[in-house]
Amino acid sequence: MDSNSKKKKRPKIERCVGNGASFLILYIQVMNMNIKILSRTKAVKLSYTDFEKDKVIISIRDPWAEKAQFNDGNSSIKEILYLSFYDISEETKDIFDGYSSMSPDDALKIAHFVNKWKDKVDTIWVHCEVGVSRSAGIAMAIMEYLNLDLAPIFENPIYCPNMLCYELTNQAFKNQRVHTKNDDAPL
């Protein structure tokens, strides 16, 4: 690996305009890994136009909504992790009692998924319905796990990361590291 491929690249924010609406896509790149925070609509649309680099998708939907319908013919999409929970934070859990928020099991699925693919694909797409809260919280935990600067999320006023999603996913990555270290220890 040459020295240029080890350098962290600066985050790039791209403005996409379509159907009269403006979308912000946050690209976080470390080594050759991109993380994209997207809305459901934008992720589905991109699945029909973005064939360039290998990618995986973390697809988050509300429990009442159908799964996002990505382009089955896009061979650059290697796997999709579908999750379903409401945009409920730690602060609002009591108010929305009875509604499903992100669970520790959901977070563990994300941690396993990222670890499975982080060295095999160029891009991880994280989308929720709007691309502002749940996806930003999960992307933030992934970025922290990959030792990336979190400023691009915190400094962008479009994002309001769901801290329950962040904390559960962050904890799942930490727990996974502990189990991996313990598995490597001599008996």
Side-chain angles (χ1 to χ4, degrees):
M1 187 181 288
D2 66 344
S3 62
N4 289 338
S5 64
K6 290 182 181 179
K7 290 181 182 177
K8 288 184 183 178
K9 296 184 181 178
R10 296 183 86 35
K12 177 177 112 179
I13 298 176
E14 177 180 294
R15 182 172 295 279
C16 299
V17 179
N19 295 337
S22 177
F23 301 96
L24 287 178
I25 301 173
L26 178 65
Y27 293 85
I28 307 296
Q29 189 172 51
V30 59
M31 291 181 258
N32 291 319
M33 174 61 70
N34 292 300
I35 298 173
K36 289 187 182 183
I37 302 170
L38 303 162
S39 70
R40 175 190 179 107
T41 301
K42 189 64 180 173
V44 169
K45 285 181 181 179
L46 278 176
S47 78
Y48 286 88
T49 60
D50 184 347
F51 296 91
E52 291 300 312
K53 295 183 177 184
D54 288 345
K55 64 190 68 60
V56 293
I57 302 172
I58 299 171
S59 177
I60 304 157
R61 64 182 170 90
D62 291 332
W64 56 266
E66 292 185 24
K67 288 182 179 178
Q69 299 299 309
F70 297 102
N71 180 1
D72 290 336
N74 187 338
S75 62
S76 72
I77 299 172
K78 300 306 179 189
E79 188 174 353
I80 303 168
L81 173 63
Y82 288 100
L83 299 171
S84 173
F85 52 87
Y86 287 106
D87 190 2
I88 298 172
S89 66
E90 192 63 44
E91 296 81 22
T92 60
K93 271 177 88 169
D94 294 336
I95 298 168
F96 293 102
D97 189 32
Y99 288 89
S100 57
S101 61
M102 184 181 193
S103 70
D105 187 51
D106 292 326
L108 193 57
K109 288 176 185 175
I110 292 168
H112 286 301
F113 187 75
V114 168
N115 278 314
K116 175 182 176 181
W117 288 104
K118 69 179 179 170
D119 297 324
K120 300 174 185 171
V121 297
D122 303 300
T123 306
I124 299 173
W125 290 1
V126 185
H127 91 78
C128 59
E129 296 299 330
V130 182
V132 170
S133 184
R134 289 172 285 185
S135 55
I138 290 166
M140 198 166 71
I142 294 168
M143 291 164 57
E144 186 170 313
Y145 175 67
L146 297 174
N147 296 313
L148 297 172
D149 181 13
L150 303 180
I153 291 179
F154 285 119
E155 292 174 0
N156 189 331
I158 195 169
Y159 299 115
C160 182
N162 180 309
M163 294 310 288
L164 179 63
C165 293
Y166 164 75
E167 290 165 3
L168 288 173
T169 306
N170 191 31
Q171 190 60 50
F173 280 122
K174 287 179 182 176
N175 290 345
Q176 206 169 36
R177 281 187 196 149
V178 169
H179 290 302
T180 302
K181 286 180 183 175
N182 289 341
D183 292 344
D184 293 339
L187 297 175

